[in-house]
C-alpha cells in the first residue's frame, strides 16, 4: 500500500460546481497534513494546512479524519482558474513530506 | 519578501555527467529540503538539511548528495547521471527545524533537469 494515495482523476466539472477530493494515508503517527496546488510545469504552492478541526479558506474547505486516515478538500463554486493538480502531502516525520500522485481538476465553461 | 529561489531553471546534461543545483531559502528559514518530481508523480523526498547537517534522507542512491552553507543556502549534487534522473528538482524551505512533525514547507520554482 502506498503511504499516500489519491485518485489521479481527471475530475471534469463545469464552472460553479462543487468538487471534493479525498486522500488516504497509511502512517497513523502523521501529525501534519497539507494540500498543495500545482499548475503545469510549476512548483507546488501551498493551498491549505489541515488541522484536526478542519480548515476553511474562502471557497476551499479541508477536513481531517484521523480514525479513517484520510483528508479531504472541498472546492465550492469552481472557477476556470481552479484547473490544476491538487497534491495531498502528509507528515513523514522530521521535516519530510510524503506526497500523493495528485488529483487533476479540469473546470470547463 | 523573496520566496525560495533556485538556479538554474533548466539544465540539459548527458548520461554520466554530474550536476549541481542551488537553492536559497526564504529569509529567516533555516531548514531546506530537496524533492524530485518525475512526470505524473508527486514530489519525492531526497534530503533535509538544517544547520549544515543532514537531518533526513530519502530512498535515493549515493550518487545524490547535498550540503548546506552557513547562510542556509543549499546545493544538491547528482553524479553519474542516468536517463531516469530527468525530473523537476524542487527545493523547499521551512522555519521550524525541531520536533517530530513536519512544518509547512514552501517550494521554489524548481530546476528542470533533462538527461540525454
Amino acid at each position: 500500500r502506498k503511504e499516500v494515495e489519491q485518485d489521479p482523476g481527471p475530475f471534469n466539472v463545469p464552472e460553479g460546481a462543487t468538487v471534493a477530493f479525498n486522500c488516504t494515508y497509511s502512517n497513523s503517527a502523521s501529525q501534519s497534513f497539507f494540500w498543495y496546488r500545482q499548475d503545469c510545469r510549476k512548483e507546488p504552492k501551498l493551498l491549505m494546512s489541515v488541522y484536526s478541526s478542519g480548515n476553511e479558506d474562502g471557497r476551499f474547505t479541508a477536513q481531517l479524519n484521523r480514525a479513517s486516515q484520510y483528508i479531504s478538500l472541498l472546492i465550492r463554486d469552481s472557477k476556470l482558474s481552479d484547473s490544476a493538480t491538487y497534491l495531498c502531502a502528509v507528515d513523514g516525520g522530521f521535516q519530510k513530506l510524503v506526497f500523493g500522485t495528485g488529483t487533476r481538476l479540469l473546470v470547463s465553461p | 519578501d523573496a520566496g525560495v529561489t533556485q538556479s538554474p531553471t533548466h539544465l540539459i546534461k548527458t548520461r554520466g555527467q554530474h550536476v549541481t543545483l542551488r537553492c536559497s531559502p526564504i529569509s529567516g528559514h533555516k531548514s531546506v529540503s530537496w524533492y524530485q518530481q518525475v512526470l505524473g508523480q508527486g514530489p519525492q523526498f531526497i534530503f533535509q538539511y538544517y544547520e549544515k547537517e543532514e537531518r533526513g534522507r530519502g530512498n535515493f542512491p549515493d550518487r545524490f548528495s547535498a550540503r548546506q552553507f552557513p547562510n542556509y543556502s543549499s546545493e544538491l549534487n547528482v553524479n553519474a547521471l542516468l536517463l531516469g534522473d530527468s525530473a523537476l528538482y524542487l527545493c523547499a524551505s521551512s522555519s521550524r527545524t525541531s520536533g517530530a512533525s513536519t512544518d509547512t514547507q514552501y517550494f521554489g520554482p524548481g530546476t528542470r533537469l533533462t538527461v540525454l
Side-chain angles (χ1 to χ4, degrees), chain A residues 2 31-32 34 36 38 41-44 46 49 87 91-97 99-101, chain B residues 33 35 37 41-43 45 48 90 94 96 99-109 112:
Chain A
K2 289 184 178 179
Q31 298 181 41
S32 50
F34 307 91
Y36 285 83
Q38 187 171 32
R41 302 181 72 81
K42 300 286 190 180
E43 75 274 23
L46 180 69
S49 302
L87 292 163
D91 160 36
F94 301 99
Q95 304 304 315
K96 168 187 173 181
L97 285 177
F99 284 86
T101 56
Chain B
S33 299
Y35 292 81
Q37 186 176 25
Q41 300 295 318
F45 175 77
Q48 192 256 334
L90 295 160
S94 64
R96 197 177 87 187
S101 66
T102 302
D103 200 13
T104 303
Q105 296 188 9
Y106 300 91
F107 286 85
R112 189 163 298 278

Side-chain angles (χ1 to χ4, degrees), chain A residues 7 12-14 19-20 23 30 38 42 49 51-52 54 57 64 66 68 75 81-82 91 105:
Chain A
D7 181 341
N12 291 284
V13 302
V19 62
C23 166
S30 295
Q38 187 171 32
K42 300 286 190 180
S49 302
Y51 308 118
S52 57
D57 183 5
L64 168 64
R66 285 191 183 274
S68 301
I75 305 175
S81 58
D82 293 334
D91 160 36
L105 173 65

Side-chain angles (χ1 to χ4, degrees), chain A residues 59-99:
Chain A
R59 298 182 294 109
F60 299 84
T61 301
Q63 296 282 347
L64 168 64
N65 185 318
R66 285 191 183 274
S68 301
Q69 293 185 209
Y70 75 85
I71 63 173
S72 63
L73 178 68
L74 182 77
I75 305 175
R76 290 180 297 276
D77 189 23
S78 297
K79 312 290 185 192
L80 293 176
S81 58
D82 293 334
S83 296
T85 295
Y86 291 84
L87 292 163
C88 165
V90 174
D91 160 36
F94 301 99
Q95 304 304 315
K96 168 187 173 181
L97 285 177
V98 181
F99 284 86

Side-chain angles (χ1 to χ4, degrees), chain B residues 16-29:
Chain B
Q17 287 188 310
H18 72 272
V19 67
T20 298
L21 311 181
R22 295 178 176 82
C23 169
S24 291
I26 293 170
S27 177
H29 285 191

Side-chain angles (χ1 to χ4, degrees), chain B residues 26-49:
Chain B
I26 293 170
S27 177
H29 285 191
K30 300 182 179 181
S31 172
V32 169
S33 299
W34 287 95
Y35 292 81
Q36 180 197 65
Q37 186 176 25
V38 299
L39 199 62
Q41 300 295 318
Q44 275 205 302
F45 175 77
I46 310 175
F47 287 111
Q48 192 256 334
Y49 272 78

